[in-house]
């Protein structure tokens, strides 16, 4: 796990300024404190920061081939590198190191741009081919590793994080206002755009190539399958057997390392079964780590300890206070480069700092929910609405449906809360049933919040998700999973990468081994969700591995009690970052709507916690990246004593 960066001059007469390249590289120090390197050759500059995991003595980057006419800078882990190494040796390639980096380098020499199809793992890398004058960028299939880029009139800049591109000072940090409606609806930006004008993501499963003759070309080499191509559908028992086998294989492959590997253990099904599979595969007791809050409805530590005891792990956990949570927020926004979509990012970083004291690598259960349909209410409610709504549409004529829909807003509050999210009130299209129905700011509220009405009407906030949804065919459950794997999950993976790497910790995701994903993504959704039971197929496949109390417990989803915190002792954060003069002067949101949201939330008339969280994050992000404010001063510029949390408590929590 590392950090990469680079500059390519589009005009061959221009030369690389090494000082800029060094600034880009060292902005990523946290991603690789063990080693650093640069390569500068006329129009190209490559940079690297290394967190040593495999071949600790070798593997220095940027790395050249034997003739020094192909160079690579690489971030990630290739789990089948030993098998690939043997294949390449049979073709006559000689190796100077034991690293997976050199395997990718020689795979490029043999396979060219199709080398990515031979890699099993997580990766983002850049290759410079001197003879072909070709720059090649690649990102893994699911988007586990990040890669950003910007193209100006003079150069192409790229890096593992946006801050590396900004450090080159070739792109001025400006808010990409066009994404605001999507951010308000979904919490994040799907697709290639970012919050910064002119800075883009290389999408998962994509490569990008540049040559003087062809310029920039982009190619998609992988996407999740929707059916078992050329294969008959298996029986339920066969699916259960193959899932168990493939998941075990994925866990075993993800243990490849020359340093200790630990596990984030939440006490839920996914991480608990990883612990059960992992424990017999290693010689020593596995090291597990958990995080929680003092509030009982946001604390899963008892279940995590139960799972740890069942596998005999060496377990540690940490309790996070509200002050520690908010103290960490500005610096975590800096690390994430964009407003933090999920409140769980903060405890994720704190547990990463705890784990860093003991291991360099952890496994996590990310991806299981999207793959096996684990979001109960979201997936169940949509499937239920789709199924019964179709019958409802056939039985009741259009006029009757319109009359019933008109009655829903007049129902008592308790009844209305549920009825307005069903087929009685919703359009039966996926946009309403699956996307808008679970939006943070729904259409009406989003329109009333945005100061510029043209911004609201300028684009469809669910465009990327809808494309992925419709690509999957007609089965509702399969379509939802297909959309989430390529949108929602990608944001979760960026959260995990940046929050763990901020602590110089590598996180690995066995559920997203692409061989497992290709198999499970094509299994009919009806096998994964049965009645009210989520992850039905996965539960059956591992029923003998996980304690029954965990196997049957209700999913909590890593809740963070920010709503109650913002309503009580941290109300002043809303006054400063939502209603404060700096926030209002930006002119993006209507002050009357902001005032109403804060008032209703603090008086307990409505729960706007998620909405206010997004608005607080957006304002903090603008102060840090647009205004250029030091994250350490974001609270310090205010007079309220509770803003001055200090870092001592945060450090103590992380080192517990």
């Amino acid at each position: 796990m590392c950090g990469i960066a680079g500059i390519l001059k589009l005009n061959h007469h221009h030369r690389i300024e090494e000082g800029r390249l060094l600034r880009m590289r060292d902005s990523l120090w946290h991603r690789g404190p063990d080693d650093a390197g640069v390569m500068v050759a006329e129009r190209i500059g490559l940079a690297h920061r290394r967190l040593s995991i495999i071949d600790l003595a070798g593997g220095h980057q940027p790395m050249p081939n034997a003739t020094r006419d192909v160079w690579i800078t690489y971030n990630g882990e290739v789990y089948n590198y030993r098998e690939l190494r043997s294949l390449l040796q049979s073709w006559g390639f000689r190796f100077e190191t034991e690293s997976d980096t050199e395997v990718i380098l020689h795979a490029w020499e043999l396979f060219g741009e199709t080398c990515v199809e031979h890699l099993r793992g997580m990766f983002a890398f850049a290759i410079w081919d001197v003879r072909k004058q070709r720059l090649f960028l690649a990102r893994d299939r699911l988007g586990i590793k990040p890669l950003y880029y910007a193209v100006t009139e003079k150069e192409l800049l790229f890096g593992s994080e946006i801050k590396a591109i900004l450090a080159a000072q070739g792109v001025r940090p400006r808010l990409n206002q066009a994404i605001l409606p999507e951010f308000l609806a979904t919490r994040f930006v799907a697709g290639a755009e970012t919050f910064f004008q002119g800075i883009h993501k290389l999408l998962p499963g994509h490569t990008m190539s540049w040559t003087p003759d062809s310029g920039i070309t982009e190619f998609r080499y992988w996407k999740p399958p929707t059916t078992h191509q050329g294969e008959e559908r298996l029986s339920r028992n066969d699916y259960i057997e193959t899932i168990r086998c493939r998941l075990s294989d994925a866990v075993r492959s993800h243990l490849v390392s020359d340093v200790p590997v630990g596990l984030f253990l939440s006490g839920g099904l996914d991480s608990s079964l990883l612990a059960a599979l992992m424990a017999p595969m290693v010689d020593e007791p596995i090291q597990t780590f958990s995080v929680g809050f003092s509030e009982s409805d946001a604390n899963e530590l008892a279940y995590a300890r139960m799972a740890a005891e069942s596998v005999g792990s060496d377990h540690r956990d940490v309790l996070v206070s509200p002050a520690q949570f908010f103290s960490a927020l500005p610096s975590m926004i800096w690390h994430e480069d964009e407003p933090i979509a999920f409140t769980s990012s903060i405890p994720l970083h704190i547990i990463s700092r705890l784990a860093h004291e003991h291991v360099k690598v952890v496994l996590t259960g990310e991806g299981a929910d999207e793959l096996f349909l684990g979001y109960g209410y979201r997936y169940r409610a949509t499937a239920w609405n789709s199924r019964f709504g179709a019958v409802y549409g056939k039985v009741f004529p259009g006029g009757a449906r319109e009359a019933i829909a008109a009655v829903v807003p007049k129902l008592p509050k308790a009844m209305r809360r549920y009825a307005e999210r069903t087929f009685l009130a919703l359009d039966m299209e996926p946009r309403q049933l699956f996307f808008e129905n679970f939006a943070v700011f729904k259409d009406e509220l989003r329109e009333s919040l945005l100061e510029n009405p043209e911004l609201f009407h300028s684009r469809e906030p669910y465009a990327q998700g809808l494309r992925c949804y419709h690509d999957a065919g007609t089965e509702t459950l399969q379509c939802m999973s297909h959309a989430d794997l390529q949108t929602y999950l990608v944001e979760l993976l960026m959260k995990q990468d940046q929050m763990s790497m901020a602590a110089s910790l590598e996180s690995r995701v066995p559920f997203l081994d692409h061989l497992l994903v290709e198999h499970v993504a094509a299994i009919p959704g009806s096998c994964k969700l049965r009645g009210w039971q989520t992850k039905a197929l996965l539960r059956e496949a591992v029923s003998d591995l996980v304690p029954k109390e965990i196997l049957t417990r209700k999913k909590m989803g890593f809740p963070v009690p920010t709503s109650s915190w913002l309503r009580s002792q941290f109300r002043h954060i809303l006054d400063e970052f939502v209603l404060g003069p700096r926030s209002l002067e930006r002119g993006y949101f209507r002050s009357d709507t902001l005032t109403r949201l804060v008032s209703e939330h603090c008086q307990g008339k409505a729960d706007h916690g998620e909405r206010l969280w997004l608005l607080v994050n957006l304002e903090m992000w603008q102060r840090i990246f647009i205004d250029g404010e030091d994250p350490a001063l974001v609270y310090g510029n205010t007079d309220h004593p509770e803003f001055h949390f200090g870092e001592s408590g945060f450090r103590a929590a992380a080192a517990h």
Side-chain angles (χ1 to χ4, degrees):
M1 187 75 69
C2 307
I4 68 173
I7 305 173
L8 170 73
K9 295 293 185 180
L10 303 181
N11 187 322
H12 71 278
H13 294 298
H14 296 170
R15 293 294 178 264
I16 299 297
E17 307 92 337
E18 188 169 347
R20 294 176 68 211
L21 188 64
L22 290 172
R23 287 200 305 271
M24 296 176 73
R25 182 195 72 181
D26 293 339
S27 71
L28 303 174
W29 181 91
H30 51 282
R31 297 188 71 91
D34 296 336
D35 192 17
V38 295
M39 182 280 282
V40 175
E42 298 181 339
R43 75 192 312 161
I44 188 72
L46 303 178
H48 190 263
R49 290 227 57 119
R50 187 182 185 206
L51 183 66
S52 302
I53 304 294
I54 292 176
D55 189 10
L56 306 187
H60 177 79
Q61 296 185 50
M63 179 182 289
N65 63 352
T67 53
R68 303 181 74 82
D69 55 11
V70 179
W71 289 78
I72 185 172
T73 183
Y74 152 63
N75 167 33
E77 304 292 347
V78 174
Y79 303 122
N80 65 331
Y81 80 98
R82 289 171 179 154
E83 296 91 328
L84 270 178
R85 179 188 174 100
S86 297
L87 173 65
L88 292 163
Q89 285 175 325
S90 72
W91 280 84
F93 287 94
R94 296 183 178 182
F95 286 80
E96 301 295 326
T97 73
E98 297 296 323
S99 70
D100 55 345
T101 308
E102 192 176 7
V103 170
I104 300 176
L105 190 62
H106 293 320
W108 165 265
E109 292 183 280
L110 180 60
F111 301 114
E113 295 193 5
T114 62
C115 66
V116 291
E117 298 173 12
H118 298 267
L119 306 179
R120 179 184 185 183
M122 54 183 186
F123 53 83
F125 62 84
I127 287 178
W128 175 248
D129 193 313
V130 178
R131 291 169 298 168
K132 298 177 181 178
Q133 289 288 286
R134 180 186 296 273
L135 176 67
F136 180 71
L137 305 178
R139 190 174 177 196
D140 66 67
R141 296 167 179 84
L142 278 301
I144 306 168
K145 294 294 100 193
L147 190 56
Y148 299 90
Y149 69 93
V151 182
T152 70
E153 292 181 357
K154 298 180 179 180
E155 58 194 11
L156 187 157
L157 305 165
F158 65 88
S160 295
E161 297 180 12
I162 292 173
K163 63 179 62 64
I165 295 173
L166 297 176
Q169 298 179 339
V171 178
R172 182 178 175 183
R174 293 179 177 174
L175 171 64
N176 178 12
Q177 293 186 44
I179 56 83
L180 286 178
E182 182 178 0
F183 167 65
L184 295 172
T186 68
R187 304 179 185 86
F188 57 90
V189 182
E193 286 187 271
T194 71
F195 276 76
F196 294 87
Q197 289 184 27
I199 299 180
H200 297 82
K201 316 177 192 82
L202 182 62
L203 290 174
H206 281 67
T207 62
M208 177 183 287
S209 184
W210 178 91
T211 65
D213 295 332
S214 303
I216 294 174
T217 57
E218 198 168 328
F219 176 72
R220 183 171 192 175
Y221 68 90
W222 186 89
K223 66 178 181 180
T226 55
T227 57
H228 284 294
Q229 297 175 356
E231 179 182 329
E232 291 186 9
R233 289 193 172 187
L234 304 177
S235 68
R236 187 173 188 83
N237 288 336
D238 286 337
Y239 281 136
I240 289 170
E241 184 177 341
T242 57
I243 286 171
R244 176 75 166 256
C245 180
R246 289 172 186 258
L247 186 54
S248 296
D249 178 61
V251 171
R252 185 175 290 104
S253 72
H254 282 59
L255 294 176
V256 172
S257 174
D258 292 333
V259 296
V261 179
L263 173 71
F264 284 165
L265 189 57
S266 70
L269 171 63
D270 309 327
S271 61
S272 298
L273 75 87
L274 289 182
L277 291 171
M278 179 181 176
M281 295 180 183
V282 297
D283 296 330
E284 302 292 330
I286 61 175
Q287 300 202 52
T288 54
F289 308 92
S290 301
V291 62
F293 301 92
S294 58
E295 289 84 351
S296 59
D297 58 350
N299 193 319
E300 297 183 275
L301 293 181
Y303 288 104
R305 291 165 187 161
M306 179 190 301
E309 185 177 352
S310 72
V311 299
S313 74
D314 182 4
H315 185 68
R316 298 173 179 86
D317 55 46
V318 59
L319 208 61
V320 180
S321 73
Q324 291 163 349
F325 178 92
F326 284 110
S327 172
L329 181 55
S331 62
M332 292 303 97
I333 291 174
W334 181 83
H335 274 290
E336 196 152 318
D337 288 326
E338 297 184 296
I340 294 179
F342 304 102
T343 54
S344 56
S345 288
I346 309 303
L348 174 59
H349 175 69
I350 292 175
I351 191 179
S352 295
R353 292 181 67 162
L354 169 64
H356 176 70
E357 298 292 323
H358 306 277
V359 297
K360 267 192 173 182
V361 181
V362 291
L363 304 189
T364 82
E366 207 71 85
D369 286 318
E370 294 77 14
L371 199 57
F372 287 98
L373 299 179
Y375 298 125
Y377 182 68
R378 192 162 177 241
Y379 292 147
R380 281 198 308 258
T382 305
W384 183 84
N385 272 326
S386 180
R387 184 180 305 117
F388 290 100
V391 176
Y392 174 72
K394 292 178 181 178
V395 173
F396 290 87
R401 294 198 303 271
E402 290 177 6
I404 294 172
V407 171
V408 169
K410 302 174 184 178
L411 294 172
K413 184 177 179 180
M415 295 177 62
R416 184 177 72 249
R417 179 184 173 191
Y418 293 100
E420 65 187 6
R421 304 191 72 170
T422 71
F423 58 84
L424 297 175
L426 296 174
D427 188 312
M428 289 302 295
E429 292 301 312
R431 185 192 189 279
Q432 281 288 319
L433 288 184
F434 184 55
F435 295 97
E436 176 69 6
N437 200 21
F438 300 97
V440 182
F441 287 85
K442 295 183 185 298
D443 284 338
E444 184 178 352
L445 183 54
R446 206 161 58 245
E447 186 173 19
S448 72
L449 177 64
L450 289 166
E451 186 71 55
N452 182 357
E454 294 182 4
L455 198 57
F456 175 79
H457 296 288
S458 62
R459 66 166 72 179
E460 168 58 69
Y462 310 115
Q464 183 74 5
L466 284 166
R467 278 194 292 271
C468 298
Y469 185 100
H470 290 302
D471 279 349
T474 58
E475 186 191 44
T476 301
L477 292 172
Q478 193 128 347
C479 290
M480 290 189 288
S481 174
H482 200 71
D484 276 351
L485 281 169
Q486 298 173 83
T487 55
Y488 186 78
L489 176 63
V490 177
E491 180 65 23
L492 290 176
L493 291 171
M494 290 306 90
K495 171 198 77 172
Q496 178 167 288
D497 173 85
Q498 288 154 333
M499 293 300 96
S500 61
M501 288 308 298
S504 302
L505 181 77
E506 173 177 299
S507 57
R508 298 179 177 180
V509 281
F511 280 107
L512 297 181
D513 175 80
H514 82 271
L515 298 179
L516 176 64
V517 170
E518 287 176 346
H519 179 69
V520 177
I523 295 175
S526 56
C527 292
K528 304 174 193 175
L529 188 67
R530 301 188 75 183
W532 294 105
Q533 187 181 56
T534 61
K535 298 180 186 172
L537 208 56
L538 181 63
R539 292 178 196 276
E540 291 183 53
V542 300
S543 59
D544 61 320
L545 294 177
V546 179
K548 185 178 179 181
E549 296 89 340
I550 293 174
L551 190 69
T552 58
R553 65 177 291 234
K554 184 180 179 181
K555 180 180 178 63
M556 287 184 68
F558 211 152
V560 181
T562 47
S563 283
S564 60
W565 293 342
L566 291 173
R567 186 175 281 134
S568 53
Q569 70 264 44
F570 294 98
R571 156 68 194 262
H572 51 274
I573 285 181
L574 302 179
D575 293 333
E576 172 64 23
F577 296 101
V578 177
L579 300 179
R582 289 180 67 181
S583 175
L584 297 177
E585 286 169 7
R586 298 191 193 276
Y588 299 133
F589 305 126
R590 292 178 53 180
S591 60
D592 58 337
T593 304
L594 292 174
T595 301
R596 176 171 64 83
L597 291 173
V598 172
S599 176
E600 289 178 351
H601 183 76
C602 293
Q603 293 177 28
K605 294 180 179 179
D607 185 355
H608 296 304
E610 277 192 277
R611 301 181 182 105
L612 295 171
W613 166 260
L614 294 186
L615 296 173
V616 166
N617 268 264
L618 180 62
E619 175 59 23
M620 284 191 183
W621 173 83
Q622 290 181 100
R623 295 188 186 189
I624 294 167
F625 285 98
I626 306 303
D627 301 346
E629 197 163 289
D630 188 324
L633 300 178
V634 167
Y635 291 133
N637 286 346
T638 72
D639 295 328
H640 199 289
E642 290 197 41
F643 276 120
H644 304 282
F645 305 121
E647 285 288 321
S648 58
F650 176 50
R651 290 198 184 100
H656 177 75

